[in-house]
Amino acid sequence: MPNMCYLVGTAGSGKTILTSSLQTYLITKGASLTTVNLDPAVKHIPYQADVDIRDYIDYDQLIDEHNLGPNGAMIAAVDLVADHINDLRDDIEELGESSSLVLVDTPGQMELFAYRRSGTEITSSFPLDTSFIAFLFDSTLVSHIGGFLSVSLLATSVQLRLNLPIAHVITKIDLLKPHQVEDVLAWRENPYDAIEEDLIGMTREFSLQVGQIIEGLGQIPLIPVSALSGEGLELLSAQISRVFEAGEDWSI
Ligand SMILES: Nc1nc2c(ncn2[C@@H]2O[C@H](COP(=O)(O)OP(=O)(O)OP(=O)(O)O)[C@@H](O)[C@H]2O)c(=O)[nH]1
Ligand SMILES: [Mg+2]
Protein backbone atom coordinates (compact mmCIF):
# COMPACT_ATOMS: atom_id res chain seq x y z
CA MET A 1 0.00 0.00 0.00
CA PRO A 2 1.30 3.49 -0.81
CA ASN A 3 2.32 5.98 1.91
CA MET A 4 -0.27 8.77 1.83
CA CYS A 5 0.40 12.34 2.97
CA TYR A 6 -2.67 14.61 2.90
CA LEU A 7 -2.00 18.34 2.86
CA VAL A 8 -4.94 19.93 4.67
CA GLY A 9 -5.47 23.52 5.77
CA THR A 10 -7.64 26.61 5.63
CA ALA A 11 -8.31 28.27 2.26
CA GLY A 12 -5.14 29.80 0.86
CA SER A 13 -2.89 28.29 3.54
CA GLY A 14 -0.46 27.09 0.86
CA LYS A 15 -1.47 23.46 0.16
CA THR A 16 -1.03 23.62 -3.59
CA ILE A 17 2.26 25.53 -3.67
CA LEU A 18 3.67 23.30 -0.92
CA THR A 19 2.64 20.18 -2.88
CA SER A 20 4.56 21.58 -5.81
CA SER A 21 7.67 22.57 -3.82
CA LEU A 22 7.73 19.28 -1.91
CA GLN A 23 7.40 17.37 -5.17
CA THR A 24 10.39 19.20 -6.66
CA TYR A 25 12.41 18.89 -3.45
CA LEU A 26 11.76 15.19 -2.92
CA ILE A 27 12.39 14.29 -6.54
CA THR A 28 15.81 15.96 -6.33
CA LYS A 29 16.41 13.75 -3.27
CA GLY A 30 15.70 10.70 -5.38
CA ALA A 31 12.14 9.99 -4.21
CA SER A 32 9.53 8.55 -6.53
CA LEU A 33 6.33 10.47 -5.92
CA THR A 34 2.71 10.37 -6.93
CA THR A 35 0.79 13.65 -6.67
CA VAL A 36 -2.98 13.81 -6.35
CA ASN A 37 -5.17 16.87 -6.86
CA LEU A 38 -8.49 16.55 -5.00
CA ASP A 39 -9.61 20.14 -5.65
CA PRO A 40 -12.31 20.03 -8.35
CA ALA A 41 -12.48 23.83 -8.65
CA VAL A 42 -8.82 24.66 -9.11
CA LYS A 43 -8.04 26.25 -12.49
CA HIS A 44 -4.27 26.00 -12.53
CA ILE A 45 -1.93 23.83 -10.51
CA PRO A 46 1.80 24.43 -10.58
CA TYR A 47 2.71 20.72 -10.48
CA GLN A 48 2.06 17.72 -12.65
CA ALA A 49 -0.91 15.94 -10.99
CA ASP A 50 -0.60 12.20 -11.59
CA VAL A 51 -4.15 11.63 -10.30
CA ASP A 52 -6.66 14.45 -10.74
CA ILE A 53 -10.24 14.68 -9.47
CA ARG A 54 -10.96 16.99 -12.42
CA ASP A 55 -10.71 13.96 -14.71
CA TYR A 56 -13.90 12.73 -13.06
CA ILE A 57 -15.76 15.88 -12.02
CA ASP A 58 -16.44 18.95 -14.13
CA TYR A 59 -16.95 21.84 -11.70
CA ASP A 60 -17.91 24.40 -14.39
CA GLN A 61 -20.46 22.02 -15.87
CA LEU A 62 -22.02 21.58 -12.41
CA ILE A 63 -22.43 25.34 -12.15
CA ASP A 64 -24.01 25.59 -15.62
CA GLU A 65 -26.21 22.49 -15.49
CA HIS A 66 -27.58 22.96 -11.99
CA ASN A 67 -27.50 26.73 -11.87
CA LEU A 68 -25.33 26.66 -8.77
CA GLY A 69 -23.18 29.37 -7.22
CA PRO A 70 -19.48 28.67 -6.61
CA ASN A 71 -19.99 27.38 -3.05
CA GLY A 72 -23.00 25.21 -3.91
CA ALA A 73 -21.11 23.77 -6.88
CA MET A 74 -18.11 23.06 -4.65
CA ILE A 75 -20.28 21.14 -2.18
CA ALA A 76 -21.92 19.22 -5.04
CA ALA A 77 -18.51 18.48 -6.56
CA VAL A 78 -17.02 17.22 -3.31
CA ASP A 79 -20.10 15.08 -2.65
CA LEU A 80 -19.79 13.64 -6.15
CA VAL A 81 -16.29 12.47 -5.27
CA ALA A 82 -18.03 9.70 -3.30
CA ASP A 83 -19.17 8.20 -6.63
CA HIS A 84 -15.57 8.03 -7.84
CA ILE A 85 -13.85 6.71 -4.73
CA ASN A 86 -13.07 3.39 -6.40
CA ASP A 87 -11.68 5.10 -9.52
CA LEU A 88 -9.47 7.35 -7.40
CA ARG A 89 -8.30 4.50 -5.21
CA ASP A 90 -7.47 2.39 -8.25
CA ASP A 91 -5.54 5.28 -9.85
CA ILE A 92 -3.64 5.99 -6.63
CA GLU A 93 -2.89 2.34 -5.95
CA GLU A 94 -1.67 1.73 -9.47
CA LEU A 95 0.72 4.70 -9.48
CA GLY A 96 1.43 4.64 -5.75
CA GLU A 97 2.75 1.08 -5.94
CA SER A 98 5.95 2.29 -7.59
CA SER A 99 6.15 5.48 -5.46
CA SER A 100 7.63 5.97 -2.02
CA LEU A 101 5.05 8.65 -1.26
CA VAL A 102 1.66 9.89 -2.46
CA LEU A 103 1.16 13.64 -1.83
CA VAL A 104 -2.51 14.63 -1.75
CA ASP A 105 -3.45 18.29 -2.32
CA THR A 106 -6.92 18.72 -0.78
CA PRO A 107 -9.68 21.21 -1.74
CA GLY A 108 -9.52 24.92 -0.99
CA GLN A 109 -12.33 24.83 1.53
CA MET A 110 -10.83 22.55 4.13
CA GLU A 111 -14.16 21.78 5.77
CA LEU A 112 -15.42 20.10 2.60
CA PHE A 113 -12.65 17.54 2.72
CA ALA A 114 -12.54 17.16 6.50
CA TYR A 115 -16.22 17.25 7.39
CA ARG A 116 -18.16 15.86 4.45
CA ARG A 117 -18.44 12.16 3.83
CA SER A 118 -16.20 11.93 0.77
CA GLY A 119 -13.10 13.04 2.74
CA THR A 120 -13.29 10.19 5.22
CA GLU A 121 -14.27 7.82 2.41
CA ILE A 122 -11.00 8.62 0.68
CA THR A 123 -8.81 8.48 3.78
CA SER A 124 -10.44 5.26 4.99
CA SER A 125 -9.73 3.64 1.60
CA PHE A 126 -6.09 3.40 2.66
CA PRO A 127 -4.64 1.80 5.79
CA LEU A 128 -4.27 4.10 8.81
CA ASP A 129 -0.67 3.10 9.37
CA THR A 130 0.37 4.34 5.92
CA SER A 131 -1.52 7.65 6.10
CA PHE A 132 -0.58 10.97 7.58
CA ILE A 133 -1.95 14.56 7.65
CA ALA A 134 0.25 17.61 7.22
CA PHE A 135 -2.01 20.34 8.62
CA LEU A 136 -0.97 23.77 7.37
CA PHE A 137 -0.93 26.75 9.73
CA ASP A 138 -1.00 29.85 7.53
CA SER A 139 1.64 32.13 9.03
CA THR A 140 -0.52 35.15 8.30
CA LEU A 141 -3.16 33.66 10.64
CA VAL A 142 -0.94 32.31 13.40
CA SER A 143 1.48 35.16 14.05
CA HIS A 144 -0.93 36.33 16.77
CA ILE A 145 -1.59 34.15 19.81
CA GLY A 146 -5.39 34.17 19.27
CA GLY A 147 -4.94 32.98 15.68
CA PHE A 148 -2.42 30.36 16.74
CA LEU A 149 -4.81 28.92 19.35
CA SER A 150 -7.76 28.90 16.98
CA VAL A 151 -5.84 27.19 14.14
CA SER A 152 -4.40 24.68 16.65
CA LEU A 153 -7.95 23.79 17.69
CA LEU A 154 -8.96 23.47 14.04
CA ALA A 155 -6.05 21.11 13.37
CA THR A 156 -7.06 19.06 16.39
CA SER A 157 -10.65 18.93 15.22
CA VAL A 158 -9.52 17.67 11.79
CA GLN A 159 -7.28 15.10 13.43
CA LEU A 160 -10.20 13.80 15.50
CA ARG A 161 -12.45 13.73 12.45
CA LEU A 162 -10.00 11.96 10.11
CA ASN A 163 -8.41 9.91 12.87
CA LEU A 164 -4.92 9.96 11.38
CA PRO A 165 -1.45 10.87 12.65
CA ILE A 166 -0.68 14.53 12.08
CA ALA A 167 2.12 17.07 11.85
CA HIS A 168 1.53 20.81 12.06
CA VAL A 169 3.28 22.88 9.41
CA ILE A 170 3.64 26.67 9.65
CA THR A 171 3.61 27.85 6.03
CA LYS A 172 4.91 31.00 4.28
CA ILE A 173 7.48 31.74 6.97
CA ASP A 174 9.28 34.00 4.50
CA LEU A 175 6.47 36.46 5.33
CA LEU A 176 7.42 36.47 9.04
CA LYS A 177 10.45 37.87 10.79
CA PRO A 178 12.65 35.18 12.39
CA HIS A 179 11.63 36.27 15.90
CA GLN A 180 7.94 35.83 14.96
CA VAL A 181 8.61 32.24 13.90
CA GLU A 182 10.44 31.70 17.22
CA ASP A 183 7.42 33.10 19.08
CA VAL A 184 4.99 30.73 17.38
CA LEU A 185 7.25 27.74 18.11
CA ALA A 186 7.54 28.85 21.74
CA TRP A 187 3.75 29.17 22.14
CA ARG A 188 3.43 25.44 21.62
CA GLU A 189 5.45 24.95 24.84
CA ASN A 190 4.03 27.92 26.73
CA PRO A 191 1.07 29.86 25.31
CA TYR A 192 0.17 31.41 28.67
CA ASP A 193 2.47 34.47 28.77
CA ALA A 194 1.33 35.61 25.33
CA ILE A 195 -2.32 35.02 26.27
CA GLU A 196 -1.91 37.12 29.43
CA GLU A 197 -0.17 39.87 27.46
CA ASP A 198 -2.33 40.08 24.36
CA LEU A 199 -5.84 38.94 25.22
CA ILE A 200 -8.46 40.39 27.52
CA GLY A 201 -11.70 39.50 29.28
CA MET A 202 -13.59 36.32 28.50
CA THR A 203 -11.33 35.60 25.51
CA ARG A 204 -8.34 35.55 27.84
CA GLU A 205 -10.08 33.23 30.32
CA PHE A 206 -11.17 30.87 27.58
CA SER A 207 -7.76 31.00 25.87
CA LEU A 208 -6.03 30.01 29.11
CA GLN A 209 -8.14 26.86 29.11
CA VAL A 210 -7.43 26.24 25.41
CA GLY A 211 -3.76 26.71 26.30
CA GLN A 212 -3.93 23.49 28.31
CA ILE A 213 -5.03 21.61 25.20
CA ILE A 214 -2.24 23.23 23.18
CA GLU A 215 0.32 22.25 25.81
CA GLY A 216 -0.94 18.69 25.45
CA LEU A 217 -0.12 18.77 21.73
CA GLY A 218 3.57 18.94 22.61
CA GLN A 219 4.40 15.65 20.93
CA ILE A 220 2.95 16.75 17.59
CA PRO A 221 5.71 18.18 15.40
CA LEU A 222 5.39 21.89 14.50
CA ILE A 223 7.48 22.54 11.41
CA PRO A 224 8.07 26.00 9.91
CA VAL A 225 8.40 26.03 6.12
CA SER A 226 8.43 28.35 3.16
CA ALA A 227 7.41 26.79 -0.11
CA LEU A 228 8.85 29.85 -1.85
CA SER A 229 12.32 29.93 -0.29
CA GLY A 230 12.52 26.19 0.39
CA GLU A 231 13.32 26.78 4.06
CA GLY A 232 12.06 23.92 6.24
CA LEU A 233 11.37 21.49 3.38
CA GLU A 234 14.23 19.34 4.61
CA LEU A 235 12.71 19.15 8.11
CA LEU A 236 9.25 18.43 6.74
CA SER A 237 10.42 15.67 4.44
CA ALA A 238 12.49 14.18 7.26
CA GLN A 239 9.33 14.13 9.39
CA ILE A 240 7.32 12.45 6.62
CA SER A 241 10.11 9.98 6.13
CA ARG A 242 10.18 9.22 9.87
CA VAL A 243 6.44 8.64 9.96
CA PHE A 244 6.64 6.08 7.21
CA GLU A 245 10.11 4.82 8.06
CA ALA A 246 10.71 5.07 4.35
CA GLY A 247 13.54 3.24 2.70
CA GLU A 248 16.97 4.78 2.38
CA ASP A 249 16.17 5.69 -1.21
CA TRP A 250 14.73 9.03 -0.19
CA SER A 251 14.86 9.36 3.59
CA ILE A 252 17.23 12.14 4.60
N1 LIG B 1 5.19 34.33 0.52
C1 LIG B 1 4.69 33.10 0.34
N2 LIG B 1 3.50 32.94 -0.25
C2 LIG B 1 3.03 31.68 -0.40
C3 LIG B 1 3.76 30.54 0.04
N3 LIG B 1 3.02 29.44 -0.24
C4 LIG B 1 1.89 29.88 -0.82
N4 LIG B 1 1.90 31.24 -0.93
C5 LIG B 1 0.86 32.10 -1.51
O1 LIG B 1 -0.36 31.88 -0.82
C6 LIG B 1 -1.45 31.89 -1.75
C7 LIG B 1 -2.22 30.58 -1.61
O2 LIG B 1 -1.36 29.52 -1.97
P1 LIG B 1 -1.95 28.12 -2.45
O3 LIG B 1 -0.83 27.15 -2.51
O4 LIG B 1 -2.77 28.29 -3.66
O5 LIG B 1 -2.88 27.81 -1.20
P2 LIG B 1 -4.00 26.68 -1.10
O6 LIG B 1 -4.08 26.30 0.33
O7 LIG B 1 -3.74 25.60 -2.09
O8 LIG B 1 -5.25 27.53 -1.54
P3 LIG B 1 -6.74 26.96 -1.81
O9 LIG B 1 -6.59 25.65 -2.51
O10 LIG B 1 -7.38 28.01 -2.66
O11 LIG B 1 -7.33 26.84 -0.45
C8 LIG B 1 -0.85 32.11 -3.13
O12 LIG B 1 -0.93 33.48 -3.44
C9 LIG B 1 0.60 31.71 -2.96
O13 LIG B 1 1.48 32.39 -3.82
C10 LIG B 1 5.04 30.75 0.65
O14 LIG B 1 5.76 29.84 1.08
N5 LIG B 1 5.45 32.05 0.78
MG1 LIG C 1 -5.05 24.73 -3.49
Side-chain angles (χ1 to χ4, degrees):
M1 276 293 181
N3 293 320
M4 308 287 295
C5 176
Y6 300 91
L7 285 93
V8 181
T10 52
S13 55
K15 302 174 288 288
T16 298
I17 307 278
L18 187 57
T19 303
S20 174
S21 298
L22 259 181
Q23 180 187 45
T24 308
Y25 176 82
L26 290 172
I27 285 172
T28 61
K29 292 284 168 188
S32 51
L33 284 199
T34 296
T35 47
V36 181
N37 168 47
L38 286 186
D39 190 342
V42 71
K43 293 285 176 228
H44 167 73
I45 43 179
Y47 57 88
Q48 174 65 43
D50 302 307
V51 179
D52 198 331
I53 190 64
R54 294 174 301 174
D55 292 340
Y56 297 105
I57 292 166
D58 188 331
Y59 173 78
D60 291 327
Q61 194 181 346
L62 276 174
I63 291 185
D64 292 343
E65 276 185 5
H66 302 280
N67 217 8
L68 294 168
N71 290 329
M74 192 64 193
I75 292 171
V78 168
D79 286 350
L80 269 178
V81 170
D83 294 345
H84 297 285
I85 296 286
N86 290 339
D87 299 318
L88 283 171
R89 198 194 41 227
D90 291 349
D91 288 352
I92 292 170
E93 268 180 14
E94 191 184 320
L95 289 163
E97 209 161 280
S98 54
S99 302
S100 43
L101 182 68
V102 178
L103 275 181
V104 185
D105 179 15
T106 64
Q109 290 101 322
M110 180 205 80
E111 68 277 18
L112 296 182
F113 179 71
Y115 299 106
R116 290 188 83 85
R117 194 169 53 103
S118 53
T120 47
E121 286 195 356
I122 290 175
T123 55
S124 61
S125 298
F126 299 96
L128 291 186
D129 59 354
T130 56
S131 300
F132 167 70
I133 304 168
F135 190 95
L136 308 198
F137 285 43
D138 189 330
S139 61
T140 57
L141 293 179
V142 304
S143 55
H144 178 266
I145 184 68
F148 176 71
L149 295 177
S150 85
V151 177
S152 298
L153 284 180
L154 201 55
T156 306
S157 165
V158 167
Q159 185 184 2
L160 293 177
R161 165 79 178 148
L162 297 179
N163 191 26
L164 292 175
I166 195 166
H168 296 171
V169 179
I170 310 169
T171 56
K172 312 182 196 177
I173 56 163
D174 56 287
L175 297 177
L176 299 182
K177 297 195 166 59
H179 76 84
Q180 291 178 297
V181 178
E182 293 300 318
D183 283 349
V184 179
L185 294 174
W187 293 338
R188 170 55 73 70
E189 305 290 318
N190 171 13
Y192 303 110
D193 296 342
I195 292 171
E196 299 276 8
E197 251 170 58
D198 292 344
L199 304 177
I200 53 167
M202 283 300 292
T203 305
R204 172 159 62 189
E205 294 315 307
F206 177 61
S207 296
L208 288 170
Q209 291 177 39
V210 171
Q212 292 177 17
I213 300 175
I214 304 308
E215 246 191 323
L217 301 178
Q219 79 285 13
I220 294 177
L222 179 61
I223 304 163
V225 304
S226 165
L228 285 197
S229 73
E231 199 181 343
L233 292 181
E234 187 177 342
L235 269 181
L236 178 56
S237 58
Q239 178 59 34
I240 297 172
S241 147
R242 247 194 310 280
V243 167
F244 298 129
E245 296 169 337
E248 304 238 326
D249 52 335
W250 72 281
S251 59
I252 54 173

